[in-house]
Amino acid sequence: MEGIVWAALELALTCISALSLISPVWFQTPTFSFGVLTYCSWPQGNSWNQSCGTFRSLGDIPDFAWKVSAAILLIGWLLLAFNAIFLLSWALVPKGLCPRRNRGPMPGVQVVAATATVAGPLVFPISLASPFAKEACGASSVYHSGQCQLGWGYGTAILSAVLASLLPMTQLPSKTKAQGRTILFASNTEKTIVVPEMSK
């Protein structure tokens, strides 16, 4: 049951990350908005009549830092998706086939995915100095958005990064060694059980 919960959390995190990745509202003005992979424009006062475009490849993205951020975020999203699918299959495999099922198969993949989802939003604001961003946001520069405001897409990317960072921390082992003794932490009580170390 615990594995299914972890798989569901990982799938939800993958969906949040994908939503932020395809969002055209990382930075916005009253008539234009852009994200990592998409951008939209509309007439003044008529935001329902939007015209949107997509950067179809990394070569179409207008700035090097923007390309780096997009590549990092795509890698992070792919790792999250791969880990979610793998965790789901791991949770659904019969217990007899996999005796060591308590922590999941690949905690390292989650850590690398979390690192990528944190690094992507940190690198992206460097691209505010690009000609594309300057045309959209006026006097924008590195980590200064000029006339643009932060949109919900960037907020979603930050939320995804925080959740991706917290998820591996909750899977730490519940067994540790201190001063030559094994300490087991009981989850249903507040007592600590100290077991003397056995010589081998």
Side-chain angles (χ1 to χ4, degrees):
M1 181 65 180
E2 182 182 341
I4 293 175
V5 171
W6 283 113
L9 288 172
E10 191 77 26
L11 284 170
L13 181 58
T14 303
C15 292
I16 292 171
S17 181
L19 182 65
S20 70
L21 196 56
I22 62 171
S23 166
V25 193
W26 280 44
F27 291 96
Q28 62 184 358
T29 66
T31 59
F32 190 78
S33 67
F34 62 94
V36 176
L37 300 175
T38 54
Y39 55 91
C40 293
S41 63
W42 56 91
Q44 181 78 34
N46 187 9
S47 61
W48 293 102
N49 189 16
Q50 290 188 3
S51 171
C52 295
T54 303
F55 300 117
R56 298 192 181 272
S57 69
L58 287 178
D60 294 342
I61 295 176
D63 184 58
F64 180 73
W66 198 329
K67 291 176 187 182
V68 169
S69 176
I72 290 171
L73 286 168
L74 281 170
I75 289 169
W77 179 79
L78 287 172
L79 288 173
L80 285 173
F82 174 74
N83 202 35
I85 292 167
F86 205 72
L87 273 174
L88 187 60
S89 65
W90 184 260
L92 297 176
V93 168
K95 288 183 182 179
L97 293 177
C98 298
R100 298 182 63 201
R101 296 166 50 110
N102 55 348
R103 286 190 59 212
M106 298 182 303
V109 173
Q110 177 65 39
V111 172
V112 174
T115 304
T117 56
V118 169
L122 290 176
V123 172
F124 186 75
I126 295 172
S127 65
L128 289 170
S130 68
F132 182 92
K134 287 187 179 210
E135 185 178 341
C137 300
S140 65
S141 60
V142 176
Y143 291 101
H144 177 68
S145 62
Q147 297 170 354
C148 288
Q149 298 177 347
L150 284 177
W152 63 266
Y154 195 73
T156 307
I158 292 171
L159 174 67
S160 174
V162 169
L163 293 176
S165 300
L166 292 177
L167 202 56
M169 290 182 206
T170 58
Q171 292 182 344
L172 292 174
S174 59
K175 191 176 184 180
T176 186
K177 283 196 166 191
Q179 297 179 356
R181 295 183 175 184
T182 302
I183 301 175
L184 302 173
F185 296 99
S187 60
N188 56 353
T189 65
E190 294 182 6
K191 295 180 181 178
T192 304
I193 304 164
V194 178
V195 180
E197 186 174 304
M198 304 289 238
S199 60
K200 297 180 181 178

